[in-house]
Amino acid sequence: MTDKKTVTLDRGWGILLKDLGIEPENVLRRAQLPRDLVTQEQARLTPQDYFRLWEALEVEGDDPALAIRLGQAASPEVFHPSIFAALCSPDYVTAAKRIAQYKKLCAPITLTVEELPEGVRVTKQWDDPTLVVPKLVAATELVFLTQIARIGTREQICPLKVESRHSLEPTEAYKSYFGVLPEKSNKHGVTFSLRDAKRPFLTASESVWETFEPDLQRRLTKLDASAP
């Protein structure tokens, strides 16, 4: 049964790891998880199991800048439907708001989108404040929030500000990717200028969005109904 406290693991995980030259079976074995996990249609994991998977991935990946490689290797084939639908948005602001609306279908995470005088700030927070989020997870989320803007616009957009509760190292690799030096903060998030956040997405498609939205809404309603 669907549970708001679990994380969805799509088949795209297996594709992503293969593209990076990492054997999914080795990662799953190290994480002490079922060998067929990444071949299931939509596997559900507790946050603890999910984090253990990422810790195993960090060891098997053996790369200090693995989060950047993960973000850059992301393609439509590995996206959850809600992310793919977000790429159909007219711009980053709309895409971020759509991801925020449907993020619960993927994981117990709250995405907050703030339109500020200096730009648009997007922050992520796991719903359970007691969870200790691995650095690789947090770093990959920040890379992903940036990569969405670059995929949509086909421009090398750089955020004005990157915030993380972790010290992201190697520092130069992250500075080179983001275009700014990540700052230590009590939040995980990125801030884009208003100009960049409202750049037209070349991937925009209202007809595709209209196809995806009813199913996403149906899933969200079903998830809400299953909550105690």
Side-chain angles (χ1 to χ4, degrees):
M1 183 175 69
T2 302
D3 186 337
K4 275 190 170 185
K5 297 180 181 179
T6 58
V7 182
T8 300
L9 199 70
D10 289 308
R11 285 184 177 181
W13 255 79
I15 299 172
L16 180 59
L17 296 187
K18 277 290 188 180
D19 287 348
L20 290 172
I22 301 172
E23 283 298 326
E25 187 173 325
N26 293 344
V27 176
L28 293 169
R29 182 170 56 247
R30 185 179 291 276
Q32 299 180 328
L33 293 168
R35 292 173 60 183
D36 67 342
L37 198 66
V38 294
T39 62
Q40 295 177 25
E41 189 62 36
Q42 279 199 330
R44 306 288 299 187
L45 296 176
T46 65
Q48 291 76 13
D49 285 343
Y50 181 68
F51 291 162
R52 199 166 69 248
L53 177 67
W54 277 86
E55 289 163 357
L57 173 58
E58 185 169 18
V59 175
E60 292 292 330
D62 191 25
D63 181 355
L66 182 58
I68 297 173
R69 287 178 59 207
L70 284 165
Q72 291 177 324
S75 62
E77 297 100 314
V78 304
F79 288 149
H80 184 276
S82 62
I83 306 300
F84 186 74
L87 284 171
C88 299
S89 304
D91 52 39
Y92 186 80
V93 178
T94 309
K97 288 179 178 179
R98 287 178 179 176
I99 294 173
Q101 183 177 0
Y102 298 107
K103 187 64 180 173
K104 294 277 190 267
L105 296 175
C106 309
I109 292 176
T110 296
L111 195 76
T112 303
V113 182
E114 302 170 271
E115 295 191 47
L116 308 171
E118 66 274 21
V120 176
R121 186 190 194 201
V122 184
T123 54
K124 276 188 174 183
Q125 173 69 49
W126 283 76
D127 292 350
D128 183 350
T130 66
L131 290 175
V132 180
V133 181
K135 181 163 68 174
L136 180 59
V137 174
T140 303
E141 289 172 348
L142 294 172
V143 169
F144 181 74
L145 286 173
T146 303
Q147 197 68 11
I148 284 288
R150 294 175 180 177
I151 292 172
T153 61
R154 293 303 195 269
E155 297 281 353
Q156 193 65 12
I157 290 177
C158 294
L160 295 175
K161 187 176 183 180
V162 177
E163 303 169 82
S164 175
R165 291 181 178 177
H166 301 282
S167 296
L168 301 186
E169 298 174 349
T171 307
E172 284 307 310
Y174 282 102
K175 182 181 178 181
S176 176
Y177 173 78
F178 289 117
V180 293
L181 191 65
E183 302 176 17
K184 196 78 179 292
S185 173
N186 64 346
K187 290 181 178 291
H188 297 294
V190 293
T191 302
F192 290 96
S193 70
L194 286 173
R195 178 170 177 251
D196 284 340
K198 294 185 177 180
R199 279 179 187 263
F201 268 20
L202 299 183
T203 54
S205 175
E206 190 62 26
S207 61
V208 173
W209 169 244
E210 289 173 357
T211 300
F212 269 97
E213 186 182 20
D215 184 56
L216 291 173
Q217 193 58 51
R218 178 187 60 78
R219 293 190 197 186
L220 194 62
T221 301
K222 185 177 179 181
L223 183 64
D224 290 338
S226 69

